């Protein structure tokens, strides 16, 4: 048997030229810095024998020091896992002084799952006679015809799962084409304790369900019509420049990095206005995501992956090809991540940056202006699904975030059709209903760090003398002053939205300058409030959270969601009910997509997109696109 993990790593060692003498404090670690940090930590007598690196990334300096342009040391933050002792450590390597600034044990923490976990789990299940017997009873002969996938096990209070590193192993038939996800061996799940090397629970049901042998590969099929060439060119090159890692485009200025856990991170986004760059967003990223499946059966209930915290989205970034994965005019940039041994690995072309036509910016009679957009993009492949993430910068001052869902759905084998928890997508295959939730951490700095959040609700006026024809409605604005007040949900009847206002700056009309969060598609979780997935993903309890800035509060489900019992992250931090009025605040927004599978989503899912916008709301004195040149 061979094993696959619920994600794939690209491991192509490279050597980069030495880093600049004084990189920007937010510049991601170079290959040389990753290598130096790993060597420094491995040389410590505290480094466990056989220990591996779960993560090595920039230890971001204090925000106030970055904003003050204070010189800071280059430091690397590392998560180290001792498999033998089942212990997790956090360490900080000071690259400027070649010293270890901190080293601490994190009791009970399980870092992200990696390919070594998958390989070890495969060895353990192969040694269990029940596994071979289950395959034989389904007509599968030869170990080479079975491939295993290790899923994160979550936590469900079951006997034997409170100690050790646990994964759930599911099999696929590997003898019917390259698209292995089309050939699930239904009803077989092994709960494996990687620490003890034992199978702690073995499920073997649905033996009458056939294993699909039908080819579902993704090559081109006959019947497609030819298409005329569509060429995107910029004869004079792109209109953006990158200076010392900072992107300059039109009036926008920002930095970015590909973090191994969070994926794309946007830093210090500001808009040039009146000869100065006005701050908007200090740090924006995907904090966490979770994909709970609605099938409660024994082979599916545990499938609710936290793809950022349990797997690591940035480490699974795909290489992007101009003209294929991004437009022909895109520029692509490599990213460097650390492997488990601390070696620097490159992901070629992991991040794309390009301009595109944005449609009509504004129009009245014969006066028309056309908009252009700048897109910062990457794709991540955590197993069967692919997720694309775009940060789109508009000339009108809007920052838009788009998420793209594609790839192959997780399907189950069925004997004669789907049930209320799934939908038939092919012969003997049904895809369970599921949800995708994405929680974004938006460290807003609208005209500075002193901000507050105001909720806007549009409400109808009561009938009466003040509303004689019944068509009147009003806008009600409410300042959210504490963390508890700021736990809010979308409300379609009132077209609810939120403004992050400056507590100090005023616009030309004397009103606070601000940026509004305009939601797009969303959903609510269908898992019961007291279910384990809801306990572990407490951030699903509200679409909006607001917290005072704290650099240590980065991940909505906590630092270590793998096998967590819940109660961490936003739920824990906001219990203090801190003030968020006239503070340096962080806005958290959760976007949910309910996926009810359809046959057209098989064998590969057409791209489905959703997102939200951060729109200037009184930030400018008038339409900022009045200076766009007229079209021909």
């Amino acid at each position: 048997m061979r094993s696959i993990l619920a994600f794939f790593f690209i491991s192509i060692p490279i050597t980069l030229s030495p880093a600049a003498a004084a990189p920007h404090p937010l510049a991601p670690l170079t290959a040389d810095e990753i290598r130096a940090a790993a060597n420094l930590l491995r040389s410590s007598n505290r480094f466990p024998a056989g220990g591996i690196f779960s993560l090595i990334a920039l230890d971001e300096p204090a925000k106030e020091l970055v904003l003050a342009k204070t010189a800071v040391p280059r430091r690397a933050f590392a998560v180290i896992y001792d498999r033998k002792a089942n212990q997790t450590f956090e360490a900080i390597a000071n690259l400027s002084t070649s010293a270890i600034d901190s080293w601490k044990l994190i009791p009970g923490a399980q870092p992200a799952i990696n390919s070594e976990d998958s390989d070890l789990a495969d060895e353990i299940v192969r040694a269990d006679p029940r596994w071979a017997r289950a395959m034989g009873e389904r007509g599968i002969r030869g170990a080479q015809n079975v491939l295993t996938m290790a899923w994160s096990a979550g936590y469900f209070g079951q006997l034997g799962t409170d100690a050790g590193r646990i994964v759930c192993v599911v099999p696929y038939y590997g003898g019917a084409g390259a698209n292995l996800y089309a050939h699930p061996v239904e009803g077989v799940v092994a709960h494996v304790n990687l620490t003890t090397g034992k199978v702690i629970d073995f499920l073997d049901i649905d033996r009458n369900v056939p294993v699909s042998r039908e080819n579902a590969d993704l090559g081109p099929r006959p019947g497609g019509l030819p298409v005329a060439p569509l060429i995107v060119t910029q004869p004079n090159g792109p209109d953006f420049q990158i200076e010392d890692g900072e992107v300059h485009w039109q009036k926008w200025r920002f930095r970015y990095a590909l973090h191994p856990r969070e994926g794309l991170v946007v830093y210090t986004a500001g808009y040039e206005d009146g000869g100065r760059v006005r701050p908007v967003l200090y740090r924006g990223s995907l904090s966490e995501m979770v994909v709970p499946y609605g099938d409660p059966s024994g082979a599916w209930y545990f499938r609710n992956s936290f793809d950022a915290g349990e797997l690591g989205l940035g480490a699974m970034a795909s290489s992007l090809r101009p003209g294929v994965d991004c437009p022909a005019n895109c520029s692509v940039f490599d990213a460097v991540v650390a492997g488990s041994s601390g070696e620097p690995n490159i992901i070629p072309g992991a991040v794309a940056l390009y301009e595109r036509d944005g449609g009509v910016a504004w129009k009245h009679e014969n006066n028309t202006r056309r908009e252009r957009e700048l897109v910062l993009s990457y794709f991540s492949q955590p197993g069967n699904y692919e997720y694309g993430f775009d940060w789109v910068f508009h000339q009108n001052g809007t920052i838009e975030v788009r998420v793209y869902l594609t790839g192959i759905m997780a399907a189950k084998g069925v004997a004669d059709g789907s049930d209320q928890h799934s939908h038939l997508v092919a012969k003997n295959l049904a895809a369970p209903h599921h949800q995708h939730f994405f929680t974004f951490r938006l460290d807003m700095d609208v005209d500075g760090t002193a901000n507050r959040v105001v909720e806007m609700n549009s409400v109808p006026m009561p009938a009466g003398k003040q509303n004689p024809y019944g068509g009147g409605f009003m806008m009600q604005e409410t300042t959210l002053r504490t963390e508890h007040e700021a736990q809010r949900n979308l409300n379609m009847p009132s077209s609810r939205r939120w403004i992050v206002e400056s507590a100090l700056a005023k616009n030309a009309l004397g009103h606070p300058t601000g940026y509004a969060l305009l939601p797009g598609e969303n959903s609510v979780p269908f898992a019961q409030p007291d279910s384990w997935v809801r306990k572990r993903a407490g951030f699903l309890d509200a679409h909006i959270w607001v917290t005072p800035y704290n650099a240590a509060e980065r991940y909505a489900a906590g630092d270590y969601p793998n096998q967590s019992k819940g109660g961490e992250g936003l739920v824990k931090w906001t219990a203090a009910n801190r003030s968020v009025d006239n503070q340096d605040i962080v806005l958290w927004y959760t976007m949910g997509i309910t996926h009810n599978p359809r046959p057209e989503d098989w064998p590969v899912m057409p791209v489905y997109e959703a997102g939200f916008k951060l729109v200037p709301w009184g930030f400018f004195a008038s339409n900022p696109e009045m200076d766009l040149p007229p079209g021909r």
Side-chain angles (χ1 to χ4, degrees), residues 84-284:
K84 184 177 180 180
N86 189 34
Q87 291 183 327
T88 300
F89 301 90
E90 291 180 355
I92 295 177
N94 191 321
L95 302 173
S96 299
T97 63
S98 296
I100 297 176
D101 286 355
S102 72
W103 187 289
K104 59 182 178 180
L105 172 69
I106 310 299
Q110 288 292 336
I113 299 170
N114 61 24
S115 57
E116 295 177 11
D117 294 315
S118 182
D119 292 341
L120 178 57
D122 182 74
E123 292 178 11
I124 294 169
V125 297
R126 281 191 303 174
D128 192 304
R130 294 172 292 179
W131 185 266
R133 187 163 53 247
M135 298 303 108
E137 288 173 348
R138 289 162 173 82
I140 300 175
R141 301 290 184 264
Q144 73 280 3
N145 286 325
V146 179
L147 186 141
T148 62
M149 174 178 286
W151 279 74
S152 55
Y155 183 81
F156 297 90
Q158 297 161 325
L159 186 66
T161 60
D162 277 322
R165 188 164 173 82
I166 314 296
V167 295
C168 291
V169 179
V170 298
Y172 290 84
Y173 176 59
N179 183 3
L180 300 165
Y181 302 107
H183 314 292
V185 181
E186 194 59 39
V188 178
V189 180
H191 292 245
V192 179
N193 188 322
L194 299 176
T195 305
T196 63
K198 303 292 185 181
V199 175
I200 57 177
D201 185 54
F202 191 85
L203 181 75
D204 183 4
I205 58 175
D206 297 331
R207 297 179 184 179
N208 63 326
V209 173
V211 178
S212 173
R213 261 75 165 179
E214 293 194 3
N215 189 292
D217 290 351
L218 307 184
R221 294 178 179 174
L225 298 176
V227 293
L230 177 63
I231 302 173
V232 180
T233 63
Q234 288 185 284
N236 298 325
D239 197 32
F240 63 82
Q241 300 86 37
I242 301 179
E243 300 178 9
D244 187 28
E246 184 178 57
V247 179
H248 294 202
W249 178 77
Q250 296 288 294
K251 298 180 181 180
W252 280 107
R253 307 288 183 267
F254 64 89
R255 296 180 175 276
Y256 77 88
L258 188 76
H259 190 277
R261 175 169 174 166
E262 300 164 86
L264 266 180
V265 180
V266 172
Y267 298 103
T268 60
Y271 193 96
E272 185 178 342
D273 181 37
R276 65 186 180 94
V277 177
R278 299 171 62 189
V280 175
L281 175 72
Y282 178 77
R283 190 183 194 277

Side-chain angles (χ1 to χ4, degrees), residues 16 78 94 135 141 146 182 192 244 345 364 400 408 461 463 472 480 490 519 526 537 549 568 576 607:
L16 298 183
N94 191 321
M135 298 303 108
R141 301 290 184 264
V146 179
V192 179
D244 187 28
N345 297 329
H364 181 66
E400 182 179 7
I408 302 173
M461 291 180 63
L480 307 177
L490 271 64
F526 298 128
Y549 169 78
E568 298 296 320
V607 165

Side-chain angles (χ1 to χ4, degrees), residues 490-509:
L490 271 64
N491 185 47
M492 185 176 291
S494 67
S495 188
R496 184 172 293 165
R497 54 194 65 180
W498 297 268
I499 312 171
V500 179
E501 288 185 349
S502 171
L504 302 175
K506 305 287 186 181
N507 61 22
L509 300 176

Side-chain angles (χ1 to χ4, degrees), residues 420-496:
Q420 60 185 341
H421 305 297
S422 62
H423 194 93
L424 198 67
V425 296
K427 182 181 178 181
N428 296 129
L429 285 177
H433 304 291
H434 57 281
Q435 296 184 286
H436 304 257
F437 290 98
F438 305 86
T439 295
F440 290 86
R441 181 184 185 272
L442 306 167
D443 181 359
M444 303 296 293
D445 278 2
V446 179
D447 273 331
T449 57
N451 287 174
R452 61 171 57 96
V453 175
V454 175
E455 181 175 284
M456 299 182 292
N457 289 282
S458 295
V459 296
M461 291 180 63
K465 293 182 179 180
Q466 300 300 317
N467 187 24
Y469 304 106
F473 66 94
M474 306 173 292
M475 168 69 76
Q476 294 179 342
E477 298 187 1
T478 305
T479 300
L480 307 177
R481 302 190 184 279
T482 67
E483 290 179 296
H484 288 181
E485 290 180 9
Q487 295 173 22
R488 306 293 293 165
N489 282 301
L490 271 64
N491 185 47
M492 185 176 291
S494 67
S495 188
R496 184 172 293 165

